[in-house]
Amino acid sequence: MKVSLKVWRQKNANAAGEFKTYASPELNPNMSFLEMLDVVNEELSNRGEDPIAFDHDCREGICGTCSLVIDGKPHGPHKGVATCQTYMRSFSNGDQIVIEPWRAKAFPIVKDLVCDRKSFDRIQQAGGFISVRTGSAPDANSIPVPKENADLAMDAAQCIGCGACVAACKNASAMLFVSAKVSHLGLMPQGQPERYKRVKAMVDQMDTEGFGACTVTGSCEAVCPKEISLDFIARMNRDYAVALIQGDPKQVVGGGAG
Amino acid sequence: MATLNSQIPAGPLSDKWEKHKFSSKLINPANKRKYKVIVVGAGLAGASASATLAELGYEVHNFVFHDSPRRAHSVAAQGGINAAKNYQNDGDSVHRLFYDTIKGGDYRAREANVHRLAEVSVNIIDQCAAQGVPFAREYGGLLDNRSFGGAQVSRTFYARGQTGQQLLLGAYSALNKMIGAGGVKSYTHSEMLDLVVVDGHAKGIIVRNLQTGEITRHSADAVVLATGGYGNVYNLSTYARGSNVTASWRAYKRGACFGNPCYTQIHPTCIPVSGDYQSKLTLMSESLRNDGRIWVPKRKEDCKKNPADIAEGDRDYYLERMYSAFGNLAPRDVASRAAKYVCDEGRGIGDTGLGVYLDFGDSIRRLGEGKVRERYGNLFSMYHEITNEDAYKTPMRIYPAVHYTMGGLWVDYNLMSNIPGLFVLGEANFSDHGANRLGASALMQGLSDGYFVLPSTITTYLANVKAGGRPATDRGEFKQAEEEVRNFTRRVTSNNGKRTPDSFHKQLGKIMWDYCGMARTETGLQKAIQLIGDLREEFRTNVKVLGEPDGLNQPLEKAGRVADFIELGELMCRDALMREESCGGHFREEYQYTPNDPEVQQGVVNTGDVKRRDDQFAFVAAWEYAGAPDKAPILNKEPLIYEEVKMSTRSYK
């Protein structure tokens, strides 16, 4: 099979970008989408043209590095998979495929199809953790976790941090991502002491980064490669509301005796 | 010759670690903040080490080439993590985990390191559970376990099919906490391109920012490499495409010894290769072997038949037949080699004949499809995405693929290389898995090194370093290292070559797989050394890198990594050639059990099993760079002395 690619090319963050069209060489339907790009790039290089820059790493749907909007859909035509797990058999001979980067203010474009997602890291640095010093943990089985909670926490924890939810959202909202992180920790008994402080810090950082507001259209859930549920957004909103009502904890000043 | 002192503490094996911790010097809290430590990599080992060192008060600078510290390839581990908790009350203990690991490694690992790993394993699970890692649980709320290859107890903790991601997110969250608190400075898109050695000590690194192309110098009181394994030397592997040996290799070229480079793990359960465009092989978790049965047809004529049409009596469940005690849970090296044998006999299945069946039919009949879906659902859907086949209805097709490298930079008991001040953690070092790693032990080692071992042993070095005395980056050593990095960039971007780095990588991978893969011979390895030498020369003159060195340039990144892989490939072949024995993942066809051997006649091993030669090869091969890529490297030997376990013939029958 052969396809034609309409690809976003942009030299760097400050340059203006444009679509360019390339004809693919002969392809095998069992190729992954990224392998198709490898083959196209090899041909471009051999012709002396700058190959298309795209992000990828594990190529098995878990590292969250790959990030293409394919025919208008983040991670391509299939539900519950990432771009790297999309195969050419999903397309037909002669198709034109449009490939774009994630587009969001908080994900500036670096080059071609590569964008910068450090804003996600900064949200997690603001509070996406349980404070436990190495070596201070009690025996693992001293904290039983009801299986239902552990399973639900795991549903949320599956998030691979790819940013497809942001790319799909008309407001470039990061609510699905942040709510998955907040819910994972908030559902575990270990996460209770910092539960409200955490949600507030993470949501505040999310807003600072320039992600948009959520209007619950559900486009994020539809494209999420791990099929993270919209329910987690409701869960986060509830925790956030409680955190606002509680207000910031009273600062304790002064040390102890001695 | 390099000086190798393993620094193994004296005393009984089970007391060594406790005694060593007590006898190691401490650094007072006010002084710790005066020491700066560079950590390269943020997989399980790098992230856990960075977070823990920062908690202790050191100034930590963490570097990753990824766009985020959450993406290292630890993330992809599926099956689980071992720990000697004995929560199942099935006879597990620290000693048994130690013993299984030593035996699994085919008696080529250091006893003291492995015992420490087994001791620390229990703390890891506590630590991760406290961080909120959502391990699988039973209905009573307690932790669930499953069994894994090479063990007869259930000691593996897991989180669905993505244990690696969940443990990494735990370590990443600990790292984030310390980045947020200012204890760790995080550099993303930052690839280490050289190690700076000052007066014989590792004192800094040279880094290229992959987004801007900027090259910078960083000095520190100690440098920690946690940069993973080098399986991508084979091009096709289960590694992430970005995984590379560059950090380790540049350290090797600055004097760090490379230990046992030929010890590679070929994982038995991967999806077979489908075409030459392929960039990546996908692992199907070893945990599948708990409920899946591996077979091929007894007769060659049946290989192209639909598996459903092959009668039960015409199937050869060869692992169950050959290794009745462990059956489908035989260790990885054993299971991979057995798959190779049956395919070599012409009984392989699929279009290429390089495949065997992993069949869940029995389990689905016994447990019901629902239970199988609950245990392995995500793996079955991953298989479906790649092959377009439904493994609930027809058996999976699998074949071995390169998965892990047991070799790595040589380190002593303190995880310090022979360059003082350079520490190496996780898969990047050689220390704990001998010639074969057991399933679910990689995650254990990464976290053990990072959370518990290095934070304690780094003081053995730092306590003798003057606080605040690290060199300035305008010293000659830094300038020279930076200049060498710039020279390489200039050379490959201005070269008037014709071939892309990728095409060299493919060619190298094929040489390595053909001659230094699952079965190796003297003539094959000699041929490979010659082919790789030619390839190195062609790369120098004929590589083509387009685009500018300033800014994101993926072919340039690739060129540096492939250049290092080519040199490493040659070293691996030299190591495999030198090691005239078979052990674990290293199989020399000349050294295998034959029907005439008494061990075969007594039923201890099978014909074709690996034959070690302890009298001559019970040592760690630590290779030292001789100053130029075309000069033969120098072999240093660290003898392996077993105090506790008797080196014996490994039997899984």
Side-chain angles (χ1 to χ4, degrees):
Chain A
M1 66 184 288
K2 284 187 181 183
V3 296
S4 131
L5 302 178
K6 193 174 161 191
V7 184
W8 185 258
R9 301 302 305 261
Q10 181 171 338
K11 203 164 163 37
N12 57 48
N14 304 319
E18 59 174 339
F19 280 108
K20 283 202 172 160
T21 306
Y22 304 94
S24 82
E26 185 62 31
L27 305 171
N28 180 319
N30 290 323
M31 277 178 181
S32 74
F33 197 82
L34 298 184
E35 285 165 349
M36 180 274 291
L37 285 177
D38 290 341
V39 170
V40 169
N41 270 344
E42 184 75 12
E43 203 178 74
L44 285 177
S45 304
N46 288 334
R47 286 209 308 262
E49 284 185 54
D50 199 20
I52 302 160
F54 63 96
D55 258 333
H56 65 95
D57 198 28
C58 80
R59 299 200 174 197
E60 54 184 283
I62 195 74
C63 73
T65 309
C66 64
S67 55
L68 304 177
V69 176
I70 302 168
D71 289 338
K73 226 181 132 188
H75 289 311
H78 292 294
K79 224 177 134 50
V81 295
T83 293
C84 62
Q85 299 163 292
T86 302
Y87 286 78
M88 292 312 290
R89 69 178 83 93
S90 307
F91 302 89
S92 306
N93 188 30
D95 277 0
Q96 184 180 68
I97 307 172
V98 182
I99 311 174
E100 295 169 85
W102 284 178
R103 294 186 194 276
K105 183 179 160 198
F107 290 163
I109 290 175
V110 177
K111 182 179 179 180
D112 297 344
L113 303 170
V114 177
C115 68
D116 191 328
R117 287 166 285 188
K118 280 204 270 288
S119 46
F120 268 15
D121 286 330
R122 288 189 291 265
I123 292 172
Q124 310 233 70
Q125 288 157 13
F129 45 78
I130 290 169
S131 299
V132 48
R133 183 180 286 276
T134 302
S136 60
D139 183 86
N141 260 351
S142 66
I143 321 164
V145 182
K147 188 172 178 349
E148 298 75 12
N149 281 28
D151 286 347
L152 194 56
M154 183 66 211
D155 287 344
Q158 291 195 81
C159 166
I160 57 175
C162 63
C165 45
V166 176
C169 177
K170 63 188 168 71
N171 295 340
S173 166
M175 286 285 273
L176 192 67
F177 167 76
V178 181
S179 71
K181 300 296 169 190
V182 163
S183 301
H184 157 212
L185 298 176
L187 276 158
M188 306 286 277
Q190 299 90 318
Q192 298 313 306
E194 295 165 294
R195 179 171 171 183
Y196 298 107
K197 187 178 156 203
R198 178 184 309 118
V199 65
K200 185 145 184 321
M202 291 178 77
V203 170
D204 288 353
Q205 187 64 33
M206 174 180 86
D207 291 342
T208 307
E209 295 290 347
F211 291 102
C214 173
T215 50
V216 208
T217 65
S219 61
C220 49
E221 182 189 74
V223 301
C224 174
K226 294 294 162 192
E227 303 186 84
I228 308 274
S229 163
L230 214 50
D231 295 352
F232 292 120
I233 294 183
R235 190 174 279 278
M236 177 170 84
N237 282 337
R238 193 176 58 203
D239 277 10
Y240 188 68
V242 173
L244 286 184
I245 292 163
Q246 281 186 348
D248 292 331
K250 207 168 129 194
Q251 291 290 324
V252 180
V253 290
Chain B
M1 295 289 272
T3 314
L4 303 180
N5 181 344
S6 59
Q7 306 284 356
I8 294 171
L13 188 62
S14 53
D15 299 343
K16 284 182 196 288
W17 178 230
E18 279 304 315
K19 263 182 65 181
H20 186 66
K21 279 194 287 186
F22 179 72
S23 61
S24 299
K25 285 188 185 168
L26 298 177
I27 295 172
N28 95 50
N31 273 344
K32 282 200 185 101
R33 72 176 83 100
K34 297 178 188 157
Y35 291 100
K36 176 177 160 189
V37 181
I38 284 174
V39 180
V40 186
L44 290 180
S48 59
S50 298
T52 305
L53 290 174
E55 283 171 6
L56 287 167
Y58 298 105
E59 178 188 344
V60 177
H61 288 221
N62 179 275
F63 295 81
V64 297
F65 69 78
H66 291 97
D67 71 334
S68 159
R70 62 119 23 237
R71 308 218 194 270
H73 201 52
S74 306
V75 82
Q78 297 166 357
I81 176 166
N82 286 330
K85 281 287 197 186
N86 195 27
Y87 283 159
Q88 301 299 323
N89 194 28
D90 57 358
D92 201 9
S93 62
V94 166
H95 193 81
R96 190 177 294 280
L97 174 54
F98 155 73
Y99 177 77
D100 285 348
T101 308
I102 284 281
K103 177 186 170 192
D106 212 356
Y107 306 94
R108 288 292 176 264
R110 259 196 218 135
E111 271 191 332
N113 288 54
V114 176
H115 200 277
R116 173 175 65 190
L117 177 66
E119 287 173 55
V120 165
S121 69
V122 296
N123 306 113
I124 295 171
I125 300 303
D126 298 343
Q127 182 66 24
C128 296
Q131 288 169 342
V133 169
F135 284 121
R137 289 182 182 264
E138 297 164 346
Y139 280 100
L142 303 183
L143 292 161
D144 193 17
N145 292 109
R146 60 186 174 199
S147 42
F148 244 64
Q152 288 172 314
V153 293
S154 288
R155 63 160 74 99
T156 304
F157 295 78
Y158 65 102
R160 286 194 197 149
Q162 47 170 265
T163 316
Q165 166 163 255
Q166 296 311 319
L167 294 176
L168 182 63
L169 290 178
Y172 166 74
S173 74
L175 176 63
N176 278 333
K177 180 188 73 170
M178 294 316 297
I179 293 171
V184 178
K185 184 161 165 50
S186 166
Y187 299 79
T188 57
H189 310 96
S190 295
E191 181 162 29
M192 168 182 158
L193 291 180
D194 210 346
L195 177 74
V196 181
V197 179
V198 177
D199 299 333
H201 290 242
K203 288 295 165 196
I205 61 173
I206 306 294
V207 171
R208 180 171 181 269
N209 181 312
L210 302 183
Q211 283 189 346
T212 63
E214 191 190 1
I215 294 171
T216 49
R217 311 170 193 167
H218 302 263
S219 89
D221 295 288
V223 176
V224 179
L225 300 187
T227 48
Y230 49 87
N232 270 346
V233 67
Y234 292 89
N235 184 35
L236 285 184
S237 76
T238 66
Y239 283 65
R241 283 307 283 166
S243 298
N244 66 79
V245 76
T246 288
S248 292
W249 196 252
R250 309 280 165 109
Y252 166 74
K253 292 177 91 164
R254 294 278 173 205
C257 286
F258 211 108
N260 299 330
C262 79
Y263 289 169
T264 48
Q265 177 159 85
I266 317 274
H267 194 291
T269 53
C270 302
I271 299 176
V273 176
S274 63
D276 60 5
Y277 50 79
Q278 201 145 351
S279 63
K280 151 94 191 176
L281 297 173
T282 303
L283 175 85
M284 291 281 104
S285 168
E286 175 167 313
S287 62
L288 291 168
R289 291 200 272 147
N290 274 309
D291 289 307
R293 298 179 70 194
I294 295 176
W295 63 276
V296 289
K298 282 184 178 163
R299 291 189 304 263
K300 285 183 197 176
E301 309 81 88
D302 289 346
C303 287
K304 299 290 172 210
K305 279 189 186 166
N306 181 341
D309 298 336
I310 302 174
E312 191 63 25
D314 292 333
R315 300 174 176 194
D316 178 13
Y317 294 91
Y318 57 90
L319 283 176
E320 298 170 27
R321 171 172 60 78
M322 294 160 70
Y323 302 97
S324 54
F326 282 71
N328 292 300
L329 287 175
R332 291 174 175 175
D333 58 329
V334 172
S336 291
R337 223 162 6 247
K340 177 179 160 32
Y341 287 148
V342 295
C343 292
D344 287 350
E345 287 167 17
R347 295 193 287 140
I349 52 87
D351 290 342
T352 59
L354 295 174
V356 300
Y357 289 123
L358 176 61
D359 196 337
F360 289 85
D362 274 0
S363 292
I364 289 170
R365 279 186 290 277
R366 179 167 45 92
L367 304 164
E369 191 177 311
K371 191 74 190 170
V372 170
R373 194 178 290 278
E374 186 192 316
R375 285 185 189 167
Y376 310 111
N378 64 326
L379 299 171
F380 277 54
S381 52
M382 188 190 243
Y383 182 78
H384 178 257
E385 280 303 324
I386 295 173
T387 62
N388 213 18
E389 291 170 20
D390 179 357
Y392 295 103
K393 304 242 151 42
T394 186
M396 285 184 182
R397 291 174 296 109
I398 55 164
Y399 196 66
V402 174
H403 177 60
Y404 187 87
T405 50
M406 283 73 71
L409 292 178
W410 183 90
V411 290
D412 64 15
Y413 187 73
N414 296 319
L415 303 182
M416 189 164 83
S417 74
N418 57 306
I419 300 179
L422 177 68
F423 292 81
V424 190
L425 315 188
E427 191 179 350
N429 74 29
F430 87 102
S431 74
D432 291 4
H433 306 296
N436 173 58
R437 179 176 65 74
L438 291 182
S441 286
L443 304 183
M444 173 171 70
Q445 188 218 339
L447 291 180
S448 158
D449 287 359
Y451 280 132
F452 297 106
V453 180
L454 178 81
S456 169
T457 60
I458 198 169
T459 62
T460 58
Y461 174 74
L462 288 180
N464 297 316
V465 171
K466 187 168 164 281
R470 61 181 166 271
T473 55
D474 57 4
R475 277 185 65 126
E477 293 88 343
F478 280 91
K479 285 185 187 161
Q480 192 207 335
E482 183 187 325
E483 194 48 34
E484 286 175 27
V485 167
R486 290 188 187 278
N487 280 344
F488 177 84
T489 305
R490 261 195 295 273
R491 192 160 59 72
V492 295
T493 49
S494 62
N495 211 11
N496 200 15
K498 292 199 165 49
R499 290 181 60 186
T500 60
D502 269 322
S503 77
F504 282 98
H505 197 181
K506 273 191 181 167
Q507 193 180 343
L508 172 70
K510 177 120 182 30
I511 298 171
M512 292 301 292
W513 180 248
D514 286 349
Y515 300 110
C516 198
M518 269 194 285
R520 303 154 176 190
T521 63
E522 185 181 345
T523 47
L525 290 164
Q526 278 166 343
K527 184 166 180 202
I529 290 169
Q530 198 207 326
L531 290 172
I532 296 171
D534 296 346
L535 191 67
R536 172 161 44 76
E537 194 47 33
E538 197 199 335
F539 184 89
R540 204 174 63 77
T541 55
N542 199 23
V543 72
K544 170 164 75 175
V545 171
L546 295 166
E548 304 299 319
D550 305 331
L552 182 68
N553 186 331
Q554 292 173 326
L556 175 61
E557 297 165 21
K558 193 78 205 266
R561 295 170 191 172
V562 172
D564 293 338
F565 276 135
I566 293 174
E567 294 180 11
L568 165 76
E570 188 176 332
L571 183 70
M572 289 169 69
C573 293
R574 286 184 189 278
D575 186 43
L577 183 63
M578 176 280 300
R579 191 165 281 280
E580 292 178 334
E581 65 162 351
S582 296
C583 56
H586 169 62
F587 183 63
R588 282 284 299 268
E589 285 184 12
E590 302 93 326
Y591 307 99
Q592 54 180 304
Y593 282 100
T594 65
N596 298 328
D597 283 311
E599 290 88 345
V600 174
Q601 287 161 6
Q602 289 156 12
V604 178
V605 294
N606 290 312
T607 300
D609 276 350
V610 293
K611 196 174 197 176
R612 288 198 330 266
R613 297 169 72 197
D614 293 339
D615 53 334
Q616 293 186 57
F617 290 95
F619 62 80
V620 176
W623 294 91
E624 185 184 348
Y625 188 59
D630 55 355
K631 270 179 130 171
I634 302 154
L635 174 62
N636 299 273
K637 296 177 184 178
E638 180 206 333
L640 287 168
I641 297 154
Y642 277 57
E643 297 171 6
E644 183 86 13
V645 177
K646 187 175 161 290
M647 285 189 176
S648 58
T649 301
R650 198 169 58 137
S651 172
Y652 290 97
K653 285 192 72 157

